Amino acid sequence: MLSDVSGELVGAALSVKDAIGGPVSVAIVGRDAASFGARMNLPGVDSVVLAAAGDEHFDAATAEQALCSIIEAERPRLVLIGHSASGLGIAAGIAARLGSGFAADVFGIGLEEGRLRATRSGYAGKVNIELEFPGKPLVVMTVRGATFKAPSGEGAAAIREAEIDLAPVAGRRTRHLDFVEAPAAGVDIGKAEFILSVGRGVQDEKNIPRFQALAERLGATLGCSRPVADSGWLHKAHQVGLTGKVAASCKLYVALGISGAVQHLHGMKHVETIIAVNTDPNAPIFNFATYGAVMDVFDFADAMEKLS
């Protein structure tokens, strides 16, 4: 199955294609690579390179070796990989093997005086950092999802098979055994249209029932940030973010006491209407909020309980 970030990577490449020059190629690695070739034949793509390798489950060693073979043959200047669990499993290894520049969780790509530049967050999302890669003819970047727009329509790319050498990883592959489903929690963040989400600003586990009750009174689904889930205050199924769930169907997102780290933003920054409540006026969440209030979350809860 292709993830949304696959098309978004093409959008990211097209954003700098004219500045960098040269073709845009899409590499697809997997047992059924050929079945996805037509779907990645998007406007602006010059070639789709297929590498039939591995089995039905992702294997980092196989994917890394296959992509290194393709990169060495194609000799691109920029390699873009999705900033996902699988992407993170191979991107740094590819960069190290090829001696390239590397940047992770990139949300901006540019070229200045012939030098590639990547923009990413730092210090828990409080600042943006611009990176350059002097002396590196090749740069590998992992790109944050839901950042670049995927092109739509059908392209005219040449689709071909790649010659890859998997001998170096023969006998070193991991083997998939089974999936273990997480215990049911009675909540589906991905399908919720209205989410009231809590972060460290609620201060203590004993305060969670109050916000659970408030969410129910407002007709919302209770969500949370990673620290709340990691502390065991709420089930992992409530977590919104990169290592949690994406609020894919959400139309209204209320963030209470959430600073807005990039991992959390990954799951909700696309929502049309975001209301943020935080005592820190410099919290990164306010950069993405539609409406914001610098106030204590308990004062906010008092006011909402009176209204509802």
Side-chain angles (χ1 to χ4, degrees):
M1 182 177 72
L2 286 175
S3 65
D4 291 341
V5 76
S6 299
E8 293 163 10
L9 291 175
V10 174
L14 293 177
S15 71
V16 292
K17 179 180 180 180
D18 291 340
I20 293 178
V24 169
S25 298
V26 174
I28 305 175
V29 177
R31 186 185 67 175
D32 301 319
S35 64
F36 300 108
R39 291 174 57 186
M40 291 306 297
N41 185 2
L42 298 171
V45 174
D46 297 288
S47 65
V48 178
V49 183
L50 308 174
D55 53 30
E56 62 181 313
H57 301 293
F58 175 77
D59 177 73
T62 300
E64 180 182 312
Q65 177 64 27
L67 286 172
C68 281
S69 294
I70 293 171
I71 293 167
E72 288 172 338
E74 298 288 321
R75 302 182 66 82
R77 183 172 180 188
L78 175 64
V79 174
L80 302 177
I81 299 172
H83 189 73
S84 62
S86 296
L88 289 171
I90 61 174
I94 291 172
R97 286 178 59 177
L98 300 179
S100 73
F102 178 69
D105 195 23
V106 170
F107 57 82
I109 307 171
L111 201 74
E112 184 171 320
E113 297 182 353
R115 302 189 302 272
L116 270 169
R117 176 173 290 181
T119 305
R120 56 158 299 163
S121 295
Y123 299 100
K126 295 185 183 298
V127 299
N128 290 341
I129 301 172
E130 292 189 340
L131 303 174
E132 291 186 353
F133 315 90
K136 297 295 184 181
L138 170 66
V139 176
V140 176
M141 302 181 189
T142 64
V143 177
R144 185 184 299 180
T147 300
F148 293 90
K149 184 177 181 180
S152 59
E154 184 176 347
I159 301 178
R160 54 188 171 83
E161 294 185 1
E163 294 184 7
I164 57 175
D165 178 16
L166 297 180
V169 295
R172 293 200 301 114
R173 295 175 53 208
T174 58
R175 184 165 60 93
H176 173 81
L177 296 178
D178 195 11
F179 284 108
V180 178
E181 295 290 344
V187 60
D188 190 344
I189 289 294
K191 295 182 179 179
E193 295 188 355
F194 176 16
I195 298 174
L196 184 147
S197 206
V198 296
R200 284 178 291 190
V202 301
Q203 300 178 5
D204 195 281
E205 182 178 10
K206 66 183 181 183
N207 295 319
I208 293 295
R210 179 183 182 184
F211 290 95
Q212 175 72 72
L214 178 60
E216 292 174 358
R217 290 174 66 175
L218 296 175
T221 297
L222 184 65
C224 70
S225 62
R226 178 176 175 175
V228 172
D230 284 352
S231 298
W233 298 356
L234 279 171
H235 190 282
K236 191 75 172 179
H238 291 267
Q239 183 186 331
V240 178
L242 183 63
T243 56
K245 300 290 184 180
V246 174
S249 302
C250 188
K251 298 177 181 177
L252 173 60
Y253 192 90
V254 180
L256 303 181
I258 295 175
S259 64
V262 292
Q263 292 85 353
H264 189 77
L265 293 171
H266 176 86
M268 47 67 69
K269 66 185 180 66
H270 62 280
V271 177
E272 182 177 348
T273 303
I274 299 171
I275 299 173
V277 179
N278 201 295
T279 55
D280 180 5
N282 297 314
I285 191 73
F286 288 126
N287 294 327
F288 297 87
T290 314
Y291 305 101
V294 179
M295 64 184 298
D296 186 86
V297 294
F298 298 103
D299 292 339
F300 177 85
D302 288 339
M304 295 305 296
E305 286 165 354
K306 292 176 181 177
L307 289 175
S308 59

